[in-house]
Amino acid sequence: MTTFTPSPGAAPLSKMVSAQTSYEVRSLLRNGEQLLLTLIIPVVLLVLFSATSLLDVGASSRVDFLTPGILALAVLSTAFTGQAIGTGFERRYGVLKRLGATPLPRSGLILAKTLCVVLVELLQAVVIVLVALALGWHPHGNPLSVLLFLLLGTAAFSGFGLLMAGTLRAEATLAAANLVYLLLLVLGGVVFPLTKFPAGVRSVLELLPISALADGLRQILQHGTALPGGDLLVLAAWAIAALLLAVRFFRWE
Amino acid sequence: MSAVVIDALVKRYGATTAVDGLSLTAERGQVTALLGPNGAGKTTTIEICEGFRRADGGTVRVLGLDPGDRNLRARIGVMLQSGGVPTTARAGEFLRLVASFYADPVAPGVLLERLGLTEHAATPYKRLSGGQQQRLSLATAVVGRPELVFLDEPTAGLDPQARHATWELIEELRAGGVAIVLTTHYMDEAERLADRVVVIDGGRMVAEGTPAELTGAERQLRFRARPGLGLEELLSALPAGSAAKESPSGHYLIEGEVRPELLATVTAWCASHGVLAEDLRIERRTLEDVFLELTGRELRS
């Protein structure tokens, strides 16, 4: 019996997925640009606009208005922008192809990527919540409703992120994912209230997935609404559309 | 049961036929080398066996199964021609990740040591040299203790020392009973490693056999001299069954049973023409010569 006497066999699926998830989280956390996107920008926006009067949010507390939007931004940055860019380059460099030749099934790889996104979002949420509480945030509402919105938002943005990564060239994905991030940050009611836009424009912007997520979280956390139905419907429609499109058009190489 | 059986394989890309009715088998415990120039269809053939591409015609069985069968993934090892590793992943980290997908992997540290990568274990893939990237890719192909490995140009761009380390590892795989299918355009690699060589050109098999069968026992005599010497007179003086040609101009090749008398005849003939033969040598045919004869082209063109 030598070192290379054949002894083929796959590890259990749970072991494969946990190894891949742990790899994905590690590689994401040591990537400087990713940390900027996932943690630094949201926290800086939260602190800057809460602690100054740069932003006019009417009579309500600024941190109460901002925190739900920043949580929505955290989901956007990790599920969409980070995942699109990371996966786009993995596809470009043949990593998805190479992993396809291992016992890790494609569904296992997608599951690992999703778990990685959820774990990083959890980390983001902890940091954002701690900073917001320090700034005097008073959250309301049902935590389960908040969780439902965060999960639907994650599904929608992951779907679009993977759709982009699996169809465009990696460089195009890099540019487009950052552009979309910036546009949604400005136009999606994340930091700047949609009430500042003209009524016609506003009714269109309210249909964006980021607006539905930010507004839904704001309805729950700021105003104590049990379950904002309109936002939930819009977000669920985006999630279904995004995942169906990703399944249909994603190319592994 | 053969490890790989390919029968009348056809693969087209648009109007181009990359593989044109190729048939071959690869056995367990043997190295099968697909030898041919760039664009011959080697990588296409191997990627069909790996399940990355679908054949347009013919049949392919890998360990008795369809190449697309998910159950094969744990049983075969794959080394791509390039890439396949995240650029920011550290060498040891990625090898450990791939190892964790298998039930009974080779210890990653042992493989890194064998392939001279131990001191680069913490180096990100993009900072490894081309040769180190190749060896990491080889390590990921064998870490799962597969029954069958596909190696696409395993030593392309390696320095001599790394090449020998790779060859020794491949020989150890064979000794362990693994079936190895590799592509190469290096003659010496095929001659050193392969139990069977399949010479491919234009998507077709042009010859197949052991290196010794392909090169034959025949020797040949070569020399350089001024161009345009008439060969008919020489041929009539040589034993029956000998052949002589001038190709390219000024390069002479005599084939046949090269005995001392034949050498004397050739040098006498040169002397009678007042010609000093330069670079006169007697050698065995190489796979390079075989390829040139079969296709009329250099292998590494």
Side-chain angles (χ1 to χ4, degrees), chain B residues 11 51 67-68 80 83-84 95 100 107 122 127 162 205 215 221 237 250 295:
Chain B
K11 179 68 185 180
L80 301 179
L95 185 58
S100 69
R127 289 200 219 290
M205 180 170 86
T215 55
L221 188 156
T295 68

Side-chain angles (χ1 to χ4, degrees), chain B residues 33 50 68 73 90 120 122-123 129 241 250 269 300:
Chain B
E50 290 163 343
R73 298 298 155 256
R90 285 132 167 66
H120 306 289
T123 307
S129 72
W269 173 77
R300 254 182 280 177

Side-chain angles (χ1 to χ4, degrees), chain A residues 2-11 15-16 19-20 23 26 30 93-95 97-105 253, chain B residues 47 52 70 73-74 78 83-90 93 97 100-104 106 140 145-147 172-173 176 178:
Chain A
T2 76
T3 314
F4 297 111
T5 303
S7 177
K15 185 174 171 237
M16 290 193 267
Q20 181 69 28
Y23 165 74
R26 261 181 289 133
R30 69 169 169 245
Y93 290 122
V95 178
K97 174 179 176 175
R98 177 65 187 86
L99 291 178
T102 71
L104 177 69
E253 55 167 305
Chain B
E47 293 208 336
F52 290 131
R70 286 289 325 164
R73 298 298 155 256
V78 167
V85 183
T87 53
T88 58
R90 285 132 167 66
E93 175 186 40
L97 172 66
S100 69
F101 298 154
Y102 298 91
D104 183 24
V106 179
T140 62
R145 293 190 207 262
E147 291 166 65
E172 199 178 316
L173 286 167
V178 179

Side-chain angles (χ1 to χ4, degrees), chain B residues 155-231:
Chain B
T155 63
L158 292 191
D159 62 50
Q161 199 188 343
R163 252 180 127 204
H164 279 97
T166 299
W167 286 353
E168 281 168 19
L169 191 127
I170 291 171
E171 284 166 345
E172 199 178 316
L173 286 167
R174 169 172 57 196
V178 179
I180 298 122
V181 178
L182 58 85
T183 70
T184 185
H185 57 268
Y186 295 125
M187 289 300 160
D188 55 340
E189 184 158 287
E191 283 176 338
R192 153 93 190 249
L193 284 180
D195 297 290
R196 297 203 78 74
V197 177
V198 178
V199 184
I200 299 179
D201 187 47
R204 296 165 190 266
M205 180 170 86
V206 292
E208 188 254 357
T210 65
E213 283 168 359
L214 285 173
T215 55
E218 281 187 15
R219 292 190 168 79
Q220 56 190 18
L221 188 156
R222 290 174 181 274
F223 62 95
R224 285 195 297 118
R226 101 176 113 76
L229 298 172
L231 289 166

Side-chain angles (χ1 to χ4, degrees), chain B residues 187 190-192 194 197 209-222 253-258 280-291 293:
Chain B
M187 289 300 160
E191 283 176 338
R192 153 93 190 249
V197 177
T210 65
E213 283 168 359
L214 285 173
T215 55
E218 281 187 15
R219 292 190 168 79
Q220 56 190 18
L221 188 156
R222 290 174 181 274
L253 170 66
I254 318 293
E255 289 181 304
E257 199 182 344
V258 179
L280 176 71
R281 60 191 196 276
I282 295 166
E283 58 189 20
R284 279 189 43 186
R285 290 204 308 171
T286 64
L287 282 174
E288 189 90 49
D289 301 321
V290 173
F291 187 82
E293 278 165 35

Side-chain angles (χ1 to χ4, degrees), chain A residues 139-205:
Chain A
H140 301 86
N142 183 346
L144 287 179
S145 301
V146 173
L147 198 63
L148 177 64
F149 267 84
L150 291 176
L151 287 178
L152 273 180
T154 301
F157 288 125
S158 288
F160 283 118
L162 292 173
L163 176 66
M164 201 176 259
T167 51
L168 302 181
R169 283 186 313 115
E171 291 79 5
T173 297
L174 176 67
N178 280 316
L179 180 67
V180 168
Y181 173 83
L182 195 64
L183 286 176
L184 293 187
L185 166 61
V186 175
L187 301 176
V190 169
V191 175
F192 309 108
L194 287 183
T195 48
K196 302 287 179 197
F197 291 93
V201 177
R202 181 184 164 184
S203 54
V204 175
L205 293 183

